[in-house]
Amino acid sequence: MKKVGVAILGLGVVGGGTYKILTEHREFYKKIHGIDISVVSVLERKKERATALGLDVSKIASDISEICNNPEVKIVVEVMGGVEPAKTFVLAALNSGKSVVTSNKELFCKYSHELEKAAKSNGCGLFYEASCVGGVPVIRTLIDNLQGNKIMSMMGIINGTTNYILTKMASEGVSYKDVLKEAQKLGYAEADPTADVEGFDAAYKLSILSSLAFHTKIPHTKVYREGIKDVDLLDLKYGNRFGYTLKLLAIGKNSENGIEVRVHPAFVQNSHPLASVNDSYNAVYITGDSVEDVMLYGRGAGALPTGSAIVGDIIYCATHDNFNYSTFENNEDADPSIKFITNFESAYFMRFDAEDKPGVLSIVSSILGKHGISVAQVNQENEKKGGTVPLILITHETYEENVKKAVEEINGGKVAKVVSVVRVVT
Ligand code: HSE
């Protein structure tokens, strides 16, 4: 029987989950795939992590070169996260002829051009299903199953931490800061939550997914990014009255006019399938010209869900001799001929503190009209505070630049101040 030795770099949550799946399913994989996959080496400084998993400490390598020089190791699994030393280790593994499976979205997003070049020149595989949306099989869906399509758009909830926070804020009426504190206590959010709450994690994933979907390199620096730190409970409450749920969305669109890629909070209608993706669950909603709409849903993080994606890649790698690489020119930068759209088109939720007197609505709507913004719905809340009342307008689709100019003009006047502006997916 074909033997495939695996080395795991990092025995944290995902490394531990991967080890567990491989060990518990070893006999099953022998029977189903006719291959004997086993973990023959690990790189981990904390010995207790290995012993907690029941792993023989003699399998702990002293350094990466021991793994690179081990002829039993065919596949190196990198689950350390961050750029360095992960990048150095992955390149060392590829350059010594080992195929690599990684869950590292930041590394892959920033350096896929270098890693892929090394993989190709050494005839190795480079797999990264686990880098985006954990256990949800979106990468292979894009690179295999949906190849028959021109993908026009993708829209996803691709960060579990922020989805958990927004779900709790909406369901329990608790502020962003309080939910974050609780999520950190429960271990759902990192001690330093920056990458998640400021949208970096989602932007890295969107960069990878949209490059694959649109067949052109989309560096993460092209992704417009806003996080959830400034989300106000009042907007969730007032948005709900219009039938909206707030999500941190990652949106990619490809049209004749160009490509737009953005991560920001947005209202979706409660009837949209993404509105019911709650807690730490993730989902990606893809629209292709032949298949129409496809939605993939599941756990975007966690030991076993992410381990599932990694083990899927290991089995694919172990059972294939020819490896797939990017379906686009994998350079560091975007193709200069690609136009990136930054003046997005969207509908908007606008909340004002407005004076409660005749003519205010007409002043506000005439300024909006002057900037080409048409109002679709209006609601004045009966919650007077310091002489002003909350006035909510939902606009028809318009351009981002128009909204910015209108906000500036309204705030320059006396009758109403713009408190918040939230994009609405129509
Ligand atoms: N931190 C990520 C999230 C999980 O909250 O979705 C790993 O990508």
Side-chain angles (χ1 to χ4, degrees), residues 176-371:
Y176 164 77
K177 276 192 180 149
D178 290 340
V179 180
L180 175 62
K181 245 188 261 163
E182 191 212 332
Q184 284 172 317
K185 224 193 295 170
L186 294 169
Y188 296 156
E190 304 275 348
D192 177 0
T194 313
D196 292 316
V197 300
E198 293 194 1
F200 288 103
D201 175 84
Y204 295 150
K205 292 169 183 164
L206 182 61
S207 151
I208 298 172
L209 295 177
S210 55
S211 298
L212 294 170
F214 305 146
H215 303 281
T216 191
K217 179 73 175 225
I218 302 189
H220 69 101
T221 47
K222 295 288 183 193
V223 177
Y224 172 83
R225 180 186 51 78
E226 268 175 39
I228 63 161
K229 274 166 68 179
D230 298 325
V231 169
D232 187 329
L233 263 183
L234 279 178
D235 290 321
L236 300 192
K237 177 171 128 185
Y238 296 143
N240 189 39
R241 302 216 174 128
F242 288 92
Y244 296 145
T245 301
L246 192 79
K247 296 291 179 191
L248 181 70
L249 290 187
I251 298 173
K253 291 185 184 175
N254 187 16
S255 70
E256 282 168 8
N257 300 329
I259 286 178
E260 62 182 74
V261 271
R262 45 190 166 114
V263 168
H264 55 68
F267 279 123
V268 289
Q269 271 157 353
N270 289 341
S271 56
H272 193 286
L274 288 175
S276 46
V277 176
N278 286 322
D279 301 315
S280 61
Y281 277 90
N282 284 192
V284 186
Y285 190 90
I286 301 169
T287 306
D289 61 349
S290 308
V291 70
E292 300 183 6
D293 297 332
V294 172
M295 185 160 116
L296 301 167
Y297 168 87
R299 290 239 176 247
L304 297 182
T306 310
S308 155
I310 290 172
V311 174
D313 277 349
I314 292 173
I315 292 173
Y316 188 97
C317 180
T319 52
H320 290 72
D321 291 325
N322 292 321
F323 303 119
N324 293 328
Y325 301 109
S326 303
T327 55
F328 55 89
E329 195 78 34
N330 196 354
N331 296 320
E332 183 170 8
D333 294 319
D335 178 336
S337 69
I338 300 287
K339 181 170 176 254
F340 284 92
I341 299 169
T342 50
N343 189 13
F344 313 126
E345 231 177 325
S346 178
Y348 291 81
F349 163 107
M350 302 179 82
R351 174 157 66 97
F352 306 85
D353 275 343
E355 284 187 24
D356 194 14
K357 64 179 194 191
V360 170
L361 184 57
S362 121
I363 294 172
V364 169
S365 58
S366 84
I367 295 175
L368 294 175
K370 191 176 128 192
H371 291 283

Side-chain angles (χ1 to χ4, degrees), residues 105 131 133 158-162 188 190 196 201 205 282 300-301:
K105 75 220 69 145
S131 68
V133 213
I158 59 177
N159 180 269
T161 306
T162 48
Y188 296 156
E190 304 275 348
D196 292 316
D201 175 84
K205 292 169 183 164
N282 284 192

